[in-house]
Amino acid sequence: MVDQSTEPHVNLAFGLQAVPGGYAVLFGAGASVSAGMLSAWGVQCDLIRKIADMEDADIPDGDDAPYDWYVERFGKEPAYDTLLDDLSKTPSGRQALLRSYFEPNETEREDGLKQPADVHRALARLVASGHIRVIITLNFDHLIEDALREAGLRPTVISRPSALTGMLPLHAQRQGVVVHLHGDYLHPDTMLNTPDELKEYGEETNKFLNQVFDEYGLIIAGWSAKYDPALVTALERCPTRRFDTYWADPYTLSPEANELLQQRQGTYVPATADTFLTRTADAVTALTESRRTNPRNIATAIATAKRDLRGGGLAINLHDTLRRETARLADHPLRTATCAVPQPEVDAELERRTTEWEAEAELLVALAALTAYWGDESTDRYWFAGVERLATATEASGLTVLIDLRRAPATLLLHSVGVAATAAERWPLVARLLTGPRAHSFINRKEHPAAALLGPYGAFGLPTSSSRLHHYLKPLLTGHVVADESAFIDAWERFEYLRLLVQQDTRQYIEGNYLRVSGLRGDYRPLASNWLDRELGPCREEAIFEPSNAEHPLLRAGFLGGDLSRVTTAQKMVDNEITQWVHQIDATAGRIFRSGPFYINDPS
């Protein structure tokens, strides 16, 4: 075994970070103990005792006593299908009997038994983050699958050896593949437990195990290696060790397990499966967070940028940082990553890429917003061209939602500088942002203002995209750029509403946004629309008598061509769309009446 100076879960976390998907998990009965599950052997022995009760036979205490009694009484080894046949003559009765061992009744559910435990949820976190893909379990329960589904994943589940042949390749199992090596309780004919059944595997199973043990590192938990000779043989015949092996057990390893660990030059971890996997998942999360720009570093960069801007003249360091960060994001591997991801894996991959973009763009977003708020036309040049550069993406094959996501850094940048410029009431800059940078639409293949194509939903493809972007920007801008949370909320809503007008004016689809609305049923209006009425009210009054006097800094700067009637038309159409959204949401939720202000998608 390998001696390590640092904690095993820390070393494993570094390994998972270095090679995402490079480790496979092997769970034995001990991994389900904390969930209140009997081991496979324990279930079989309990079934045998029920048969003995039917025959008024007395079985002495002891782990092997039921098995020995059955062999002596019937002259053969017990098997799940025959045991169940002896106890119930109907398929439904047999199924109900077996389910009682693996599915919680009402009392057990209240006590948290036969449900995913810490180890299963920690594993689900590692699968969701892309660090684990292959899971082998010797258990008949579905706790692993349940935990993965709780995490929003749709794993591939293999219960029969024949299903191994046609499954998606292991490296492509981005939402996890769970292989029940010894079957599962929903298919009693697949359940292997007796010494004879576990003596050897079929060709499909051996081929699969050869690949996993050769190509992957191993995380083993809850397995003693004492009763599974075929699995021990599969490990013994693997001569290669591409990545490390970690074997967690709170007790001293069995001689069989210790020999295997020595052969693989692995690490013994004296801990339960719950403890080891949870610590590992926490360590991976900590490492992932550490890759993000440290908040203190951002605060330092902002403070330095403020000094540069106050100093007058060319802020060389700020200029170079903004240009460097823009170039780095423009050349980021995610901008050219494949968008041809299998449909069942899209949700997890979308979340992974979105989170990565958010982390990678933080420094640019914060510094550009600061420059937009405190700067002038000379400093706007530091970052302005970056909006169009990041919004420019070549067409690709694959899923639309992942193709659109390549514009995520442009959306983050546009909204950060737009909110900041709005808060500073730099209306000429706001107008330039909304109408100047151009981008190509993948749908109608025409060029449009980039702002019309860089909505939260258009970039991130999630119903909660607008709310997520709002909450992403708020801590980056509040205090550093805008005075407080209230100022941020007002600036966010006003800029986003103006962007919706541009989106409507270019005939792009208008999606639901994180905006507050007020009014009565039949006439809900965004608070930002009321604000725009106040801003443009004098212009509209003057336009009645002198159209040439209908001026506002936004219009003078060319917002929607500087055409007041065009702005008014777009405003009416957007407000009507928002009213319809609220009516639809209220109808679905069974609400009769709401008064504002409230957020469009507020469930209350």
Side-chain angles (χ1 to χ4, degrees), residues 266-494:
T267 300
Y268 165 58
V269 183
T272 65
D274 290 88
T275 298
F276 182 54
L277 261 292
T278 300
R279 286 179 176 175
T280 299
D282 289 344
V284 168
T285 299
L287 287 174
T288 300
E289 288 297 319
S290 70
R291 293 174 59 192
R292 302 183 71 146
T293 305
N294 189 303
R296 291 184 180 180
N297 292 341
I298 289 181
T300 300
I302 287 174
T304 302
K306 284 183 177 179
R307 286 195 298 271
D308 288 347
L309 290 170
R310 283 198 299 266
L314 183 63
I316 297 176
N317 289 334
L318 177 58
H319 169 276
D320 290 349
T321 299
L322 288 169
R323 293 294 178 91
R324 183 180 63 250
E325 285 298 299
T326 300
R328 184 179 66 82
L329 293 179
D331 295 333
H332 196 282
L334 279 183
R335 294 262 287 173
T336 56
T338 179
C339 298
V341 174
Q343 187 65 47
E345 304 167 19
V346 173
D347 291 345
E349 184 62 14
L350 178 62
E351 174 61 27
R352 186 189 72 79
R353 295 189 188 189
T354 299
T355 301
E356 186 168 350
W357 275 131
E358 289 171 339
E360 295 287 347
E362 278 184 342
L363 184 59
L364 175 63
V365 163
L367 290 182
L370 176 77
T371 310
Y373 188 90
W374 292 108
D376 53 30
E377 289 186 8
S378 65
T379 57
D380 292 343
R381 294 185 291 106
Y382 297 177
W383 54 264
F384 192 91
V387 175
E388 186 166 303
R389 181 178 181 182
L390 294 173
T392 302
T394 57
E395 295 190 45
S397 60
L399 293 168
T400 301
V401 69
L402 294 181
I403 295 173
D404 291 341
L405 189 62
R406 294 178 300 165
R407 285 176 166 158
T411 297
L412 297 174
L413 178 59
L414 174 77
H415 282 77
S416 69
V417 294
V419 170
T422 301
E425 296 188 354
R426 295 189 62 198
W427 302 123
L429 175 57
V430 172
R432 285 183 61 212
L433 273 171
L434 292 171
T435 58
R438 312 292 289 181
H440 178 78
S441 170
F442 297 139
I443 297 176
N444 61 22
R445 303 183 183 280
K446 294 181 180 179
E447 191 178 78
H448 298 281
L453 305 176
L454 296 178
Y457 182 80
F460 299 106
L462 298 169
T464 57
S465 294
S466 185
S467 171
R468 179 168 180 158
L469 179 53
H470 174 278
H471 289 95
Y472 169 80
L473 291 176
K474 183 165 66 174
L476 290 174
L477 273 63
T478 301
H480 298 304
V481 179
V482 298
D484 52 34
E485 184 175 332
S486 177
F488 170 80
I489 292 172
D490 286 342
W492 159 271
E493 295 192 352
R494 292 167 185 178

